[in-house]
């Protein structure tokens, strides 16, 4: 039995490696399919003021092309890229040279994680509790909350972001309109900076958590209603099994897809708030990715998409493994007992 289940794990790991390699190739190619040359953008900005002669600009252009390796064939560039990755080097930013990609991502990632992770966890817990309650209580409670869940879950993040921005930052001016902290400050651990960061935090956080609560509540309500009508529930109640115990069975079974959704949401949290960060000018990974795409900054785009890719693949892999342990049907199929 152990050997068959190990084979199941090896099979999942094999497909994980194939997906990783394919994604690695796409990660290298896709930024290079963006129209325009990043060196053109950089040199164009240098020449915009008119202080540098045309001959000097040509020399700068040639040196940048050579420095960034853009004069080499695609295949050689790909091998250099793989070699750097193997040594944990994501390269140097084209637009912000000589800053390294790891440094830029390291500065932006904590902002995104601190924004997204609490929104996902709070949204998941509150949404599942509300979804389960509406399915169990029914009546006016369900009729009042279900349309609200449908409304907020079908609303795109950026629409809610714009509404919150207009109402609470422009009309009532309760919260700041954008940024991650006051522009007069630099990041540090002082209370004044933390207080400023919290003021700027609430609007992007609310725009994410409200939509997430609605989506989780809809899913949990549907699963709970399905389980409430299952044969084992009617049979248990006909035998006089305690109602609290039956409800425990119902919600434990209904939680399985929700756990999968939570794992995938955490896996994709790096990329999930891209539009929200752009709307609020929040200094996270989404804003960094947006500015890098606009400047054709290949190394930064590659570094961020590589991070997103690894997070999503690992989350999917862990969900597959967790299902093998949690769901007896998958375990039985993997071990050949079914």
């Amino acid at each position: 039995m152990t050997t068959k289940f190990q084979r199941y794990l090896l099979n999942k790991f094999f497909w994980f490696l194939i997906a990783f390699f394919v994604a690695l190739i796409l990660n290298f190619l896709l930024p290079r399919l963006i129209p325009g040359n990043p060196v053109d953008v950089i040199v164009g900005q240098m020449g915009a003021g008119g202080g540098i002669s045309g001959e000097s600009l040509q020399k700068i252009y040639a040196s940048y092309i050579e420095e960034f390796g853009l004069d080499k064939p695609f295949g050689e560039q790909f091998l250099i890229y793989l070699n750097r990755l193997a040594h944990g080097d994501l390269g140097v930013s084209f637009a912000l040279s000589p800053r390294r990609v790891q440094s830029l991502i390291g500065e932006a990632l904590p902002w995104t994680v601190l924004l997204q992770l609490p929104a996902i966890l709070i949204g998941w817990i509150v949404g599942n509790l509300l979804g389960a309650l509406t399915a169990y209580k029914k009546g006016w409670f369900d009729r009042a909350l279900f349309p609200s869940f449908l409304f907020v879950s079908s609303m795109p993040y950026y629409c809610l972001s714009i509404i919150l921005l207009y109402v609470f930052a422009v009309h009532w001016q309760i919260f700041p309109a954008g940024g991650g902290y006051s522009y007069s400050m630099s990041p540090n651990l002082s209370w004044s900076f933390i207080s400023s960061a919290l003021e700027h935090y609430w609007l992007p956080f609310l725009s994410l958590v409200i939509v997430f609560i609605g989506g989780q509540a809809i899913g949990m309500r549907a699963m709970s209603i399905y389980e409430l009508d299952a044969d084992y529930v009617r049979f248990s109640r006909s035998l006089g099994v305690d109602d609290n115990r039956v409800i425990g069975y119902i919600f434990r079974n209904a939680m399985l897809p929700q756990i999968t959704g939570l794992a995938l949401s955490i896996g994709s949290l790096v990329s999930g708030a891209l539009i929200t960060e752009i709307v609020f000018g929040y200094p996270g990974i989404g804003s960094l990715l947006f500015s890098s795409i606009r400047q054709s900054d290949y190394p930064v785009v590659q570094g961020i998409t590589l991070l997103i890719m690894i997070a999503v693949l690992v989350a999917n892999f862990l969900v597959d493994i967790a299902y093998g342990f949690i769901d007896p049907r998958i375990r039985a199929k993997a071990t050949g007992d079914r």
Side-chain angles (χ1 to χ4, degrees):
M1 179 175 174
T2 305
T3 306
K4 289 179 180 175
F5 194 69
Q6 284 175 342
R7 198 179 305 150
Y8 167 79
L9 295 179
L10 285 174
N11 182 47
K12 291 294 178 187
F13 187 65
F14 172 72
W15 285 110
F16 170 82
L17 288 180
I18 289 181
F20 177 76
F21 187 69
V22 171
L24 210 57
I25 295 173
L26 292 175
N27 187 43
F28 172 79
L29 285 178
L30 290 179
R32 284 162 176 75
L33 297 179
I34 299 173
N37 184 329
V39 179
D40 287 343
V41 177
I42 297 169
V43 176
Q45 289 173 345
M46 288 180 176
I52 305 176
S53 67
E55 188 179 346
S56 300
L57 286 175
Q58 284 184 354
K59 289 181 180 175
I60 293 170
Y61 182 88
S63 69
Y64 270 129
I65 287 285
E66 185 179 356
E67 183 181 341
F68 296 147
L70 297 176
D71 55 338
K72 297 180 174 61
F74 254 41
E76 192 176 343
Q77 287 185 43
F78 183 59
L79 290 177
I80 293 171
Y81 168 67
L82 290 181
N83 183 48
R84 283 180 173 169
L85 277 186
H87 292 85
D89 181 9
L90 296 176
V92 177
S93 165
F94 288 176
L96 300 172
S97 178
R99 295 202 62 187
R100 304 203 73 77
V101 176
Q102 294 98 307
S103 167
L104 293 170
I105 292 177
E107 287 175 7
L109 187 60
W111 290 96
T112 295
V113 172
L114 289 174
L115 175 65
Q116 278 271 78
L117 192 58
I120 289 173
L121 293 178
I122 293 173
W124 188 82
I125 293 169
V126 175
N128 281 307
L129 284 174
L130 289 175
L133 277 173
T134 53
Y136 182 67
K137 288 190 173 296
K138 301 179 183 173
W140 67 267
F141 192 76
D142 183 37
R143 287 196 295 275
L145 287 182
F146 181 57
S148 307
F149 296 154
L150 272 180
F151 178 72
V152 295
S153 66
S154 58
M155 181 181 291
Y157 286 99
Y158 61 88
C159 287
L160 186 58
S161 303
I162 293 169
I163 292 171
L164 291 175
L165 188 65
Y166 176 76
V167 174
F168 293 104
V170 177
H171 184 68
W172 286 338
Q173 299 185 352
I174 298 173
F175 296 108
Y181 49 88
S182 172
Y183 292 116
S184 62
M185 297 181 174
S186 56
N188 58 71
L189 292 177
S190 67
W191 171 245
S192 58
F193 176 78
I194 294 171
S195 173
S196 174
L198 284 174
E199 276 185 334
H200 289 75
Y201 178 81
W202 288 111
L203 284 185
F205 172 76
L206 287 174
S207 70
L208 293 171
V209 77
I210 290 173
V211 175
F212 205 73
I213 286 174
Q216 291 297 313
I218 290 288
M220 187 62 181
R221 177 184 177 276
M223 287 303 301
S224 300
I225 289 173
Y226 174 79
E227 294 293 336
L228 278 165
D229 198 38
D231 290 340
Y232 74 89
V233 175
R234 286 197 290 267
F235 185 66
S236 300
R237 283 177 170 160
S238 70
L239 292 176
V241 176
D242 181 62
D243 202 41
N244 288 333
R245 179 175 291 184
V246 175
I247 291 170
Y249 294 150
I250 291 168
F251 293 132
R252 191 175 63 182
N253 291 334
M255 284 300 292
L256 274 176
Q258 303 301 96
I259 291 171
T260 307
L262 175 65
L264 294 177
S265 296
I266 291 175
S268 60
L269 70 83
V270 174
S271 61
L274 191 146
I275 303 295
T276 301
E277 287 183 4
I278 292 171
V279 169
F280 289 102
Y282 207 72
I285 289 289
S287 296
L288 179 62
L289 179 61
F290 180 66
S291 63
S292 303
I293 290 173
R294 289 179 62 191
Q295 295 171 317
S296 300
D297 198 343
Y298 299 163
V300 180
V301 175
Q302 282 176 181
I304 294 173
T305 51
L306 179 69
L307 184 68
I308 295 169
M309 176 189 79
I310 291 174
V312 172
L313 285 176
V314 169
N316 276 289
F317 179 69
L318 292 178
V319 166
D320 280 342
I321 301 304
Y323 255 50
F325 285 103
I326 295 172
D327 194 329
R329 292 166 296 183
I330 294 176
R331 191 165 57 244
K333 189 176 179 181
T335 54
D337 296 335
R338 182 182 175 193

